[in-house]
Amino acid sequence: MEQDQLSQVFAALADPTRRDIVARLAVGDATVSELAEPYEVSLQAVSKHIRVLTEAGLLTQRREAQRRPCHLEAEVFDLMTKWIERYRRQAQERYERLDAVLAELQDAENESHRTNQGAAS
Amino acid sequence: MEQDQLSQVFAALADPTRRDIVARLAVGDATVSELAEPYEVSLQAVSKHIRVLTEAGLLTQRREAQRRPCHLEAEVFDLMTKWIERYRRQAQERYERLDAVLAELQDAENESHRTNQGAAS
DNA sequence: TTCCTAATCAACCGATTAGTTGAGTAGGTG
DNA sequence: CACCTACTCAACTAATCGGTTGATTAGGAA
């Protein structure tokens, strides 16, 4: 099923084993067996995880005799970061703007207490 | 099943409809019906999406008569950003380090062509 | 050639997911 | 009160997911 890359990337990283694989590949390239070694699941299961990560564009595999070393592709992370930062910042700004508005209202109220008494609450 | 928050957050954002809901909530709070309005899916389906986002800690709901306005919680985004940045930076640095090493090797080669001094640091 | 290693493919299984419809609940309004 | 609105809950379904085992492919070594 053709899915947009952002969905694929998020889905790929929703699995702790796959995040773990990414963490290991951040240190350096590794073969499928090397990546599978720490887990008690089958090599085929790890191979599937690698396929998911590859299809999401998070890693690539080259050929080295029978081995297929995996390499982390850092660029895709930017796609996520961009999406996240966009909405985080927007929400944050809105929150700060609300804060400012509330502060202004407070100032206005304080003002009316000094000049005019009988402000509504 | 109890799942770690990072997995829940990534899984929640792996769905385009849910990312869309987050995008809308970044602009301002909205009720369930307001959020459901643009989609052709049922209100119940949207309600479920909201539950997923809520359980991931991405949003909260308050009560306002019969309405349950949703509010985006920006803090959770930091959890993701931290994770992403950690490994992105690590991979990037490794890449740049490799670049530097290759450049050094190139320099050393050029150097040895002219004189005969090593350039390792 | 035969054998070993590294990895993928194929088929299956149980659990989860995204959707559905129908019923129930909480809180106004006539 | 009855009735409407705004949801959530419950049960079901089809599709996907993470895992399994067994067979197969690709390449190197004896």
Side-chain angles (χ1 to χ4, degrees):
Chain A
M1 276 293 153
E2 277 287 312
Q3 226 190 163
D4 64 295
Q5 190 173 19
L6 206 44
S7 294
Q8 284 189 85
V9 174
F10 278 126
L13 295 178
D15 185 283
T17 305
R18 284 195 293 257
R19 280 202 306 279
D20 215 57
I21 289 173
V22 167
R24 282 198 69 208
L25 288 174
V27 179
D29 295 3
T31 66
V32 179
S33 337
E34 279 166 0
L35 289 170
E37 197 268 322
Y39 314 104
E40 357 69 78
V41 299
S42 66
L43 182 74
Q44 289 94 319
V46 174
S47 181
K48 274 192 184 182
H49 281 310
I50 288 166
R51 206 168 73 89
V52 172
L53 289 165
T54 304
E55 279 170 0
L58 278 158
L59 57 89
T60 51
Q61 278 178 290
R62 64 180 188 284
R63 184 121 209 176
E64 212 169 73
Q66 312 102 303
R67 268 147 264 117
R68 281 162 181 81
C70 301
H71 173 78
L72 191 63
E73 294 294 331
E75 306 89 66
V76 193
F77 284 70
D78 298 342
L79 196 71
M80 271 192 296
T81 307
K82 261 181 209 159
W83 189 90
I84 294 165
E85 277 310 296
R86 178 171 171 188
Y87 297 114
R88 194 200 56 74
R89 198 177 306 117
Q90 211 170 328
Q92 200 65 42
E93 274 166 18
R94 192 164 58 81
Y95 180 74
E96 277 154 15
R97 203 155 50 238
L98 180 66
D99 248 26
V101 168
L102 289 175
E104 261 176 51
L105 284 173
Q106 195 59 52
D107 282 355
E109 185 150 318
N110 291 342
E111 194 67 24
S112 71
H113 278 167
R114 270 189 282 114
T115 60
N116 175 23
Q117 55 263 71
S121 34
Chain B
M1 271 292 156
E2 277 286 313
Q3 228 190 161
D4 64 294
Q5 190 173 20
L6 205 46
S7 295
Q8 284 190 83
V9 174
F10 278 127
L13 295 178
D15 186 283
T17 306
R18 284 196 293 257
R19 281 202 306 281
D20 215 57
I21 289 173
V22 167
R24 282 199 68 210
L25 288 174
V27 179
D29 296 1
T31 66
V32 179
S33 336
E34 280 167 359
L35 289 170
E37 197 268 322
Y39 314 105
E40 359 67 81
V41 298
S42 67
L43 182 73
Q44 289 95 319
V46 174
S47 181
K48 274 192 183 182
H49 281 310
I50 288 167
R51 206 168 74 89
V52 172
L53 290 165
T54 303
E55 279 170 359
L58 278 158
L59 57 88
T60 51
Q61 280 178 291
R62 63 181 188 285
R63 184 120 210 175
E64 212 170 73
Q66 312 102 301
R67 267 146 265 120
R68 280 160 181 81
C70 299
H71 173 77
L72 191 63
E73 295 294 331
E75 307 89 66
V76 194
F77 284 69
D78 298 341
L79 195 71
M80 272 191 295
T81 308
K82 262 181 210 159
W83 190 90
I84 294 165
E85 277 310 295
R86 179 172 169 186
Y87 297 113
R88 194 200 55 75
R89 197 177 307 118
Q90 212 171 326
Q92 200 63 41
E93 274 166 18
R94 192 164 59 80
Y95 180 74
E96 277 156 12
R97 205 155 48 237
L98 179 66
D99 247 28
V101 167
L102 289 175
E104 262 176 48
L105 283 173
Q106 195 58 50
D107 283 355
E109 185 150 317
N110 291 342
E111 195 67 20
S112 69
H113 281 165
R114 272 187 283 120
T115 69
N116 202 11
Q117 290 169 311
S121 46

